[in-house]
Amino acid sequence: MNIILLGPPGAGKGTQAHRLEQQRGMVQLSTGDMLRHAVAAGTPIGLKAKAVMAAGELVSDAIVSALIGERLDTSVDKGAIFDGFPRTQHQAEALDLLLADRARKLDHVIELDVNEEALVDRITGRFSCANCGAGYHDRFKLPRVENTCDVCSAHEFHRRPDDNEQTVRTRMAEYRAKTAPILPYYRERGLVRAVEGMASVDEVARQIDAILDGAPALPF
Ligand code: AP5
């Protein structure tokens, strides 16, 4: 099964993709994570992407489509979760070609329906363990022991450089201008299913599981 998780920054794409990986053995293909690794490693792609990401703008279609193509050639037997890709009409068309070349198809496009204002709070407050990546939030989920990761007891934490309010607002504007307009492309093919992204993480997970397990679509 191959699915796209579609929603603005902070909608919960990464949270749900990570869960699906653990529970279903699917593979999360996050272009944001791939680009952050490239930036950290100082690769030619990372050098090109760094300033663009820091500004909250979109990296070029050619770069991200190539990254996804490379990952699709590795083991994704139990299915791929596209997280943060596609983000433009051009990327959506590129993904169709990449899947067709590998005799694969898209099964669902899951739209996380959210309130953007609430997401600014979600994003600007988040941080993660620098060692194991466990996620925390200044208001919603602090470590049980101050400055100590609940999972691995490390004391170093990390905040994404693009998680400040100004950049988040640019990321939201990019989503509205370039990504939301690809929904009709998938709606025409009957692939889009919406879930209530402002519900709890567990409730969003339940709604996504129902879709993957074949629950019929309700009118929305
Ligand atoms: P990317 O890394 O994809 O970031 P994003 O889309 O802005 O999404 P986020 O990772 O911020 O949010 P998310 O939806 O995954 O939410 P999360 O689960 O973390 O992209 C970063 C940049 O890379 C882009 O700006 C661009 O420059 C570049 N880029 C990437 N892909 C590209 C592409 N295809 N083309 C061009 N450029 C590209 O959750 C957020 C927080 O909320 C967490 O703290 C979490 O714990 C919490 N949370 C999650 N769900 C819930 C819930 N239901 N209730 C309460 N809290 C929740």
Side-chain angles (χ1 to χ4, degrees), residues 60-105:
S60 84
D61 291 335
I63 286 180
V64 292
S65 301
L67 287 172
I68 286 286
E70 279 170 26
R71 282 294 280 114
L72 274 177
D73 289 329
T74 63
S75 171
V76 286
D77 299 345
K78 291 198 177 152
I81 309 152
F82 296 99
D83 162 8
F85 179 91
R87 267 175 146 99
T88 63
Q89 180 67 29
H90 192 275
Q91 290 178 26
E93 289 165 14
L95 179 59
D96 282 343
L97 293 175
L98 288 167
L99 289 172
D101 282 350
R102 292 158 180 81
R104 288 171 166 269
K105 67 172 181 58

XYZ file of all heavy atoms in Angstrom, residues 60-105:
350
model
N 13.717 22.900 -4.785
C 13.268 22.691 -6.168
C 12.637 21.308 -6.363
O 13.025 20.323 -5.733
C 14.441 22.863 -7.137
O 15.171 21.655 -7.228
N 11.664 21.273 -7.272
C 10.965 20.016 -7.585
C 11.951 18.937 -8.021
O 11.810 17.766 -7.663
C 9.957 20.248 -8.718
C 8.779 21.111 -8.286
O 8.479 21.144 -7.084
O 8.167 21.749 -9.164
N 12.947 19.318 -8.811
C 13.885 18.320 -9.351
C 14.651 17.637 -8.219
O 14.830 16.413 -8.213
C 14.854 18.994 -10.321
N 15.088 18.414 -7.245
C 15.869 17.840 -6.132
C 15.016 16.863 -5.331
O 15.409 15.718 -5.086
C 16.423 18.958 -5.216
C 17.584 19.674 -5.908
C 16.875 18.382 -3.866
C 18.204 20.804 -5.098
N 13.824 17.290 -4.919
C 13.038 16.401 -4.041
C 12.521 15.186 -4.802
O 12.462 14.081 -4.249
C 11.891 17.142 -3.308
C 12.436 18.115 -2.298
C 10.957 17.824 -4.260
N 12.191 15.332 -6.071
C 11.708 14.176 -6.837
C 12.835 13.152 -6.989
O 12.606 11.937 -6.906
C 11.200 14.612 -8.220
O 10.150 15.550 -8.061
N 14.069 13.640 -7.189
C 15.207 12.717 -7.301
C 15.433 11.981 -5.980
O 15.709 10.773 -5.961
C 16.466 13.482 -7.716
N 15.292 12.702 -4.862
C 15.477 12.057 -3.557
C 14.452 10.937 -3.361
O 14.779 9.836 -2.903
C 15.319 13.082 -2.422
C 16.456 14.083 -2.223
C 16.063 15.145 -1.197
C 17.721 13.365 -1.757
N 13.206 11.210 -3.721
C 12.158 10.192 -3.557
C 12.422 9.008 -4.491
O 12.277 7.845 -4.101
C 10.763 10.816 -3.833
C 10.358 11.711 -2.676
C 9.703 9.747 -4.082
C 9.919 11.003 -1.402
N 12.829 9.282 -5.711
C 13.100 8.195 -6.668
C 14.167 7.251 -6.134
O 14.020 6.022 -6.197
N 15.232 7.835 -5.558
C 16.311 6.984 -5.002
C 15.783 6.095 -3.891
O 16.101 4.921 -3.811
C 17.419 7.867 -4.408
C 18.394 8.411 -5.425
C 19.298 9.465 -4.792
O 19.523 9.424 -3.566
O 19.752 10.349 -5.550
N 14.949 6.692 -3.017
C 14.448 5.905 -1.870
C 13.464 4.831 -2.313
O 13.379 3.770 -1.699
C 13.806 6.841 -0.832
C 14.790 7.566 0.009
C 15.586 6.606 0.925
N 14.825 6.227 2.114
C 14.402 5.011 2.381
N 14.637 4.029 1.553
N 13.734 4.762 3.478
N 12.719 5.093 -3.389
C 11.754 4.081 -3.853
C 12.463 2.850 -4.403
O 11.858 1.791 -4.528
C 10.844 4.671 -4.943
C 9.613 5.416 -4.446
C 8.851 6.001 -5.626
C 8.703 4.512 -3.624
N 13.738 3.007 -4.750
C 14.491 1.853 -5.256
C 15.050 1.007 -4.123
O 15.642 -0.028 -4.357
C 15.625 2.330 -6.176
C 15.060 2.861 -7.479
O 14.002 2.354 -7.904
O 15.659 3.789 -8.044
N 14.878 1.466 -2.877
C 15.304 0.628 -1.750
C 14.063 -0.120 -1.241
O 12.993 0.004 -1.816
C 15.937 1.484 -0.633
O 14.943 2.362 -0.139
C 17.120 2.287 -1.155
N 14.230 -0.836 -0.139
C 13.159 -1.736 0.285
C 11.932 -0.994 0.835
O 11.972 -0.402 1.908
C 13.736 -2.656 1.367
O 12.702 -3.386 1.942
N 10.850 -1.018 0.086
C 9.592 -0.451 0.574
C 8.473 -1.460 0.315
O 7.375 -1.094 -0.081
C 9.260 0.923 -0.067
C 10.130 2.023 0.501
C 9.395 0.894 -1.568
N 8.779 -2.746 0.567
C 7.856 -3.824 0.209
C 6.490 -3.720 0.876
O 5.472 -4.065 0.290
C 8.464 -5.191 0.575
C 9.751 -5.433 -0.180
O 9.986 -4.693 -1.160
O 10.519 -6.337 0.209
N 6.482 -3.277 2.151
C 5.188 -3.225 2.852
C 4.474 -1.896 2.624
O 3.450 -1.630 3.249
C 5.392 -3.484 4.344
C 5.810 -4.923 4.610
C 5.596 -5.297 6.042
C 5.959 -6.760 6.245
N 6.395 -7.033 7.607
N 5.018 -1.087 1.743
C 4.328 0.143 1.396
C 5.078 1.382 1.823
O 5.904 1.354 2.733
N 4.794 2.462 1.122
C 5.456 3.737 1.382
C 4.451 4.753 1.909
O 3.294 4.772 1.483
C 6.094 4.256 0.096
N 4.935 5.569 2.852
C 4.137 6.693 3.360
C 4.852 7.951 2.892
O 5.955 8.257 3.366
C 4.106 6.713 4.899
C 3.701 5.356 5.460
C 3.187 7.816 5.399
C 4.281 5.102 6.850
N 4.268 8.663 1.962
C 4.883 9.894 1.489
C 4.491 11.018 2.458
O 3.314 11.338 2.611
C 4.433 10.198 0.057
C 4.891 9.142 -0.903
C 4.029 8.127 -1.308
C 6.199 9.123 -1.363
C 4.459 7.123 -2.169
C 6.635 8.127 -2.222
C 5.769 7.120 -2.624
N 5.517 11.569 3.128
C 5.311 12.574 4.183
C 6.009 13.854 3.729
O 7.228 13.918 3.699
C 5.911 12.003 5.486
C 6.173 13.055 6.552
O 5.775 14.212 6.381
O 6.798 12.701 7.573
N 5.216 14.854 3.349
C 5.812 16.115 2.884
C 6.149 16.102 1.406
O 6.812 17.002 0.909
N 5.702 15.103 0.699
C 5.891 14.980 -0.752
C 4.674 14.246 -1.300
O 4.292 13.219 -0.699
C 7.161 14.173 -1.058
C 7.407 13.988 -2.540
C 8.172 14.912 -3.239
C 6.857 12.916 -3.241
C 8.400 14.758 -4.604
C 7.083 12.770 -4.595
C 7.856 13.687 -5.272
N 4.046 14.683 -2.371
C 4.379 15.865 -3.161
C 3.856 17.154 -2.528
O 2.924 17.141 -1.760
C 3.659 15.581 -4.481
C 2.475 14.761 -4.106
C 2.920 13.912 -2.958
N 4.483 18.263 -2.933
C 4.082 19.571 -2.423
C 3.721 20.530 -3.545
O 3.350 21.674 -3.269
C 5.258 20.188 -1.653
C 5.235 19.912 -0.165
C 6.512 20.482 0.411
N 6.355 20.998 1.733
C 6.693 20.303 2.824
N 7.153 19.090 2.739
N 6.544 20.857 4.011
N 3.847 20.120 -4.781
C 3.453 20.962 -5.925
C 2.819 20.045 -6.976
O 2.995 18.811 -6.936
C 4.677 21.637 -6.595
O 5.530 20.599 -7.125
C 5.488 22.488 -5.634
N 2.137 20.673 -7.931
C 1.536 19.881 -9.018
C 2.627 19.107 -9.774
O 2.454 17.947 -10.131
C 0.802 20.838 -9.976
C 0.134 20.159 -11.155
C -1.033 19.257 -10.744
O -1.686 19.524 -9.717
N -1.268 18.208 -11.496
N 3.765 19.769 -9.990
C 4.853 19.117 -10.720
C 5.339 17.878 -9.957
O 5.587 16.817 -10.540
C 5.991 20.129 -10.921
C 7.025 19.656 -11.902
N 8.069 18.836 -11.533
C 7.163 19.858 -13.222
C 8.814 18.578 -12.594
N 8.280 19.176 -13.629
N 5.461 17.989 -8.642
C 5.892 16.824 -7.832
C 4.834 15.722 -7.862
O 5.170 14.531 -7.867
C 6.157 17.252 -6.386
C 7.388 18.134 -6.210
C 7.598 18.575 -4.762
O 7.185 17.913 -3.819
N 8.255 19.721 -4.594
N 3.556 16.105 -7.879
C 2.486 15.087 -7.924
C 2.593 14.290 -9.224
O 2.466 13.053 -9.234
C 1.123 15.754 -7.812
N 2.856 14.995 -10.327
C 2.980 14.303 -11.616
C 4.255 13.457 -11.635
O 4.264 12.332 -12.160
C 2.967 15.329 -12.759
C 1.577 15.942 -12.920
C 1.553 17.203 -13.780
O 2.547 17.482 -14.481
O 0.528 17.925 -13.741
N 5.328 13.973 -11.045
C 6.583 13.199 -10.982
C 6.366 11.915 -10.177
O 6.861 10.842 -10.550
C 7.693 14.039 -10.354
N 5.613 12.010 -9.080
C 5.374 10.815 -8.267
C 4.600 9.763 -9.055
O 4.910 8.569 -8.978
C 4.601 11.185 -6.986
C 4.265 9.999 -6.075
C 5.526 9.266 -5.608
C 3.445 10.447 -4.868
N 3.615 10.197 -9.835
C 2.877 9.222 -10.660
C 3.833 8.453 -11.570
O 3.721 7.242 -11.723
C 1.830 9.944 -11.525
C 0.599 10.321 -10.711
O 0.412 9.756 -9.617
O -0.162 11.185 -11.173
N 4.760 9.184 -12.175
C 5.712 8.532 -13.090
C 6.650 7.594 -12.327
O 6.912 6.468 -12.766
C 6.543 9.576 -13.853
C 5.763 10.433 -14.845
C 6.677 11.501 -15.444
C 5.183 9.567 -15.971
N 7.146 8.074 -11.173
C 8.066 7.241 -10.378
C 7.381 5.944 -9.954
O 7.987 4.860 -9.986
C 8.533 8.006 -9.130
C 9.512 9.156 -9.373
C 9.642 10.033 -8.125
C 10.876 8.608 -9.777
N 6.118 6.021 -9.570
C 5.397 4.811 -9.138
C 5.110 3.915 -10.341
O 5.316 2.688 -10.283
C 4.095 5.199 -8.424
C 4.277 5.830 -7.036
C 2.946 6.360 -6.499
C 4.862 4.824 -6.037
N 4.664 4.510 -11.443
C 4.331 3.700 -12.631
C 5.572 2.956 -13.130
O 5.493 1.771 -13.499
C 3.767 4.594 -13.733
N 6.725 3.611 -13.094
C 7.978 2.968 -13.547
C 8.311 1.742 -12.708
O 9.078 0.880 -13.127
C 9.164 3.939 -13.410
C 9.180 4.953 -14.533
O 8.418 4.782 -15.490
O 9.966 5.926 -14.421
N 7.794 1.718 -11.486
C 8.091 0.597 -10.575
C 6.873 -0.295 -10.383
O 6.791 -1.046 -9.413
C 8.581 1.154 -9.224
C 9.951 1.818 -9.361
C 10.215 2.817 -8.256
N 11.535 3.440 -8.418
C 11.781 4.457 -9.249
N 10.818 4.978 -9.986
N 13.012 4.943 -9.351
N 5.899 -0.191 -11.291
C 4.662 -0.981 -11.254
C 3.949 -0.863 -9.902
O 3.435 -1.836 -9.360
C 4.951 -2.454 -11.578
N 3.961 0.365 -9.362
C 3.257 0.621 -8.105
C 2.165 1.638 -8.355
O 2.178 2.333 -9.372
C 4.227 1.218 -7.070
C 5.222 0.239 -6.532
C 6.250 0.986 -5.693
N 7.017 0.060 -4.914
C 6.711 -0.330 -3.683
N 5.661 0.158 -3.076
N 7.453 -1.194 -3.052
N 1.254 1.762 -7.385
C 0.221 2.783 -7.532
C -0.095 3.399 -6.170
O 0.246 2.819 -5.138
C -1.038 2.180 -8.158
C -1.738 1.192 -7.269
C -3.064 0.791 -7.883
C -3.823 -0.197 -6.998
N -4.124 0.248 -5.638
